[in-house]
Amino acid sequence: MPNRLRVHAFAFPYPAGHDEAGTRLMASKASAEPPAGQAPEEAGQAPEETDIPADPSALSRRNALRPRGEAGRRGGGPAARPVNGYPSSAEEVLQVALEALEAEAKLLNEANAALRLANSRLESEVAARTAGLVQANAALRESQEHLHLIRDSATDYAIYTLDLAGRVTSWNLGAQRLLGWSEAEMFGRLTDVLFTAEDRVADGVPGSELRRVAEEGRAENERWHLRKDGSRFWASGVAMALRDDAGGLRGFLHILRDRTEARREEERRNLLLRELDHRVKNTLAVVQSVAQQTERSTSAPPDFREAFGARLMALARSHDILARRGWEGAPLRDLVAYTLEPYAEGGRARQLIIQGPPVIVPANAAVTVNLALHELATNAAKHGSLSVPEGGVEVTWTLEKRGERLVLCWREFGGPPVRMPERRGFGSRLLEQGLAREFGGEVQLDFAPSGVECRISMALPAAAPPPLG
């Protein structure tokens, strides 16, 4: 007896070989039909049965996938009849499963297409953000390089930063040039080594300066600092607080500049002002003395005016020479040349001999030496070699004792015979007393008949340099 097919439906996990309802259909061939006249139960066989899907809606969807018309028949025979809405043949079951798989494949393709589109958009967005980050990083590197270039190009300035503990975190080339330490040597170190011993005592200047910057935001300073080799230099500096966007203190920025020359110039000016004050007082005293001595040596007001006026002019001349050199001294050649200049008219210039090595007469001695030369020239013009056209003067000088002593000789020639004066005038007293008293000088004044000779020997006090702190 021909076998019959019994169709069972059972659930299985989605999606392996499934329909939309998540139910697989399976056809199995039943055992031989029961004998005639016997019910299937009596023959020991279960009646043909069809399991109902767990999801009732699956039935309608399965019916939609069921082959219709000729597509549902095999070999051109009549269409298979569904049993309780289920396919009645193995071929039809397989066809239904195939169509379900095709539908599922279509859904998967659509999902894959959507996923590819989403991936494409995500890749585009990632690429755009990556390009933006690359551009931002390039701009940041360029900005950092620009800042480093500015920092390291400022070689006239020492620029360095500190952390909150006062340790160096950066050190530019200007700091290395000015202070002597490289960045590798100073990184992570305290800056106490830059301060003098007196500034470092008991957490003095370094600690107090950082506290002031933390409280006030900045602090300026003018003080002596130390280089790596131990030498001192005067620095003008400013320290500033480094704060983040929230206003929190992150560190300190220091900028120093070498102002040693400016400091020396300032001290030199102060010294000169003090010297000028002293000189003015001395000059007034000299003027008063000259006036008194001139009054004693002249008998008539016209003679007084002439002599006193000439001596004031000699004082003014020495001041002019000193002023041109910043009151640091006067060249002896200039003092002699300016004294004899009024007598160098015509052919007499050949008879004025000036010879000697370069010598700078200190400011405190230049006025007195200039007045002494003026008195000698005035006496020669009145009574000696400069009173006649054929007369002349020879002024020579040398340095002795390794340049510590000046020996100046004044010798007149070609003039009328000289006689010893009956009384000492202002010039003689200035030479013999003024130079000797002020500068430990020795003066030999000889009124020889052939012409007056004067030998002046005096110490040359060294000009003291301005103090350097």
Side-chain angles (χ1 to χ4, degrees):
M1 186 178 275
N3 295 334
R4 294 181 61 186
L5 293 176
R6 185 170 60 175
V7 179
H8 296 277
F10 58 92
F12 70 97
Y14 185 88
H18 60 279
D19 61 6
E20 287 182 311
T23 313
R24 169 174 287 184
L25 300 177
M26 178 176 180
S28 65
K29 183 178 288 188
S31 58
E33 293 183 359
Q38 280 187 321
E41 294 81 0
E42 298 175 355
Q45 295 179 350
E48 185 173 341
E49 58 185 355
T50 302
D51 297 330
I52 302 302
D55 184 2
S57 63
L59 181 60
S60 60
R61 290 195 296 272
R62 187 179 292 114
N63 289 338
L65 297 174
R66 182 183 299 128
R68 304 186 185 278
E70 292 298 324
R73 290 185 297 130
R74 180 178 179 84
R81 297 287 182 178
V83 180
N84 294 332
Y86 282 85
S88 60
S89 67
E91 290 84 353
E92 191 172 16
V93 170
L94 293 176
Q95 183 64 30
V96 170
L98 180 60
E99 290 179 357
L101 289 175
E102 290 176 350
E104 184 65 23
K106 182 179 179 181
L107 293 175
L108 289 175
N109 288 336
E110 291 175 355
N112 287 335
L115 183 59
R116 284 194 298 271
L117 179 60
N119 285 340
S120 177
R121 290 176 179 172
L122 182 60
E123 289 175 356
S124 299
E125 184 177 352
V126 170
R129 292 188 179 183
T130 301
L133 289 175
V134 170
Q135 185 176 3
N137 287 336
L140 180 61
R141 284 195 301 271
E142 183 178 357
S143 176
Q144 290 176 339
E145 291 174 358
H146 187 63
L147 289 176
H148 283 300
L149 182 62
I150 293 175
R151 189 195 70 170
D152 290 337
S153 296
T155 55
D156 289 339
Y157 295 85
I159 303 174
Y160 58 92
T161 57
L162 309 177
D163 61 16
L164 296 180
R167 299 184 183 277
V168 174
T169 55
S170 69
W171 187 266
N172 79 329
L173 293 178
Q176 179 174 338
R177 185 190 67 83
L178 178 60
L179 298 165
W181 288 278
S182 67
E183 185 173 17
E185 291 175 308
M186 286 301 298
F187 189 83
R189 291 183 62 182
L190 296 173
T191 57
D192 291 10
V193 293
L194 307 181
F195 294 85
T196 61
E198 52 269 26
D199 285 344
R200 293 196 302 265
V201 173
D203 191 28
V205 172
S208 62
E209 187 174 87
L210 292 184
R211 288 191 292 270
R212 180 182 170 193
V213 174
E215 295 172 359
E216 302 178 10
R218 63 179 286 134
E220 297 182 359
N221 64 79
E222 300 274 343
R223 64 172 52 87
W224 294 103
H225 282 277
L226 296 178
R227 295 187 177 92
K228 182 180 179 180
D229 60 7
S231 62
R232 289 188 173 198
F233 70 99
W234 183 262
S236 174
V238 60
M240 293 172 283
L242 295 177
R243 299 188 182 275
D244 55 24
D245 294 339
L249 183 63
R250 301 295 299 274
F252 306 93
L253 169 67
H254 284 253
I255 302 176
L256 295 179
R257 188 178 184 185
D258 185 358
R259 302 288 293 172
T260 305
E261 288 302 320
R263 172 71 174 182
R264 286 175 175 168
E265 184 62 30
E266 180 182 357
E267 292 185 345
R268 188 179 298 113
R269 284 196 303 269
N270 292 335
L271 179 64
L272 291 178
L273 287 175
R274 292 193 297 270
E275 180 68 20
L276 181 60
D277 179 67
H278 179 68
R279 284 292 101 202
V280 168
K281 292 177 181 178
N282 282 352
T283 300
L284 292 176
V286 170
V287 170
Q288 184 180 15
S289 176
V290 168
Q292 292 173 351
Q293 296 295 332
T294 303
E295 183 181 15
R296 292 177 185 175
S297 60
T298 56
S299 56
D303 296 336
F304 171 82
R305 285 195 300 270
E306 180 181 357
F308 184 65
R311 287 164 181 162
L312 288 181
M313 290 297 296
L315 277 174
R317 187 164 53 244
S318 62
H319 280 226
D320 287 342
I321 297 173
L322 289 171
R324 283 198 297 270
R325 293 181 54 86
W327 285 83
E328 292 184 351
L332 180 57
R333 181 175 294 276
D334 290 352
L335 293 176
V336 175
Y338 277 107
T339 299
L340 297 179
E341 183 179 11
Y343 311 104
E345 299 176 356
R348 177 173 284 175
R350 297 190 304 271
Q351 298 163 234
L352 302 178
I353 303 170
I354 303 173
Q355 187 174 0
V359 174
I360 300 298
V361 181
N364 56 349
V367 174
T368 304
V369 171
N370 186 70
L371 277 176
L373 292 172
H374 168 76
E375 292 301 319
L376 289 171
T378 300
N379 184 75
K382 288 182 177 181
H383 312 290
S385 61
L386 296 182
S387 64
V388 295
E390 61 274 15
V393 174
E394 179 184 42
V395 183
T396 60
W397 61 88
T398 58
L399 291 173
E400 297 179 354
K401 295 184 178 181
R402 298 181 180 180
E404 296 179 359
R405 195 162 191 86
L406 169 67
V407 177
L408 183 145
C409 295
W410 170 285
R411 186 179 68 83
E412 300 177 17
F413 60 89
V418 175
R419 294 181 303 172
M420 178 70 67
E422 297 179 357
R423 60 185 179 87
R424 295 291 198 190
F426 170 75
S428 298
R429 289 193 295 272
L430 176 65
L431 289 169
E432 294 175 346
Q433 299 177 16
L435 288 174
R437 183 175 63 252
E438 287 192 45
F439 309 107
E442 299 176 0
V443 178
Q444 297 177 359
L445 187 58
D446 183 13
F447 292 91
S450 59
V452 174
E453 294 184 8
C454 179
R455 184 180 184 274
I456 302 172
S457 175
M458 59 178 291
L460 285 179
L468 295 181

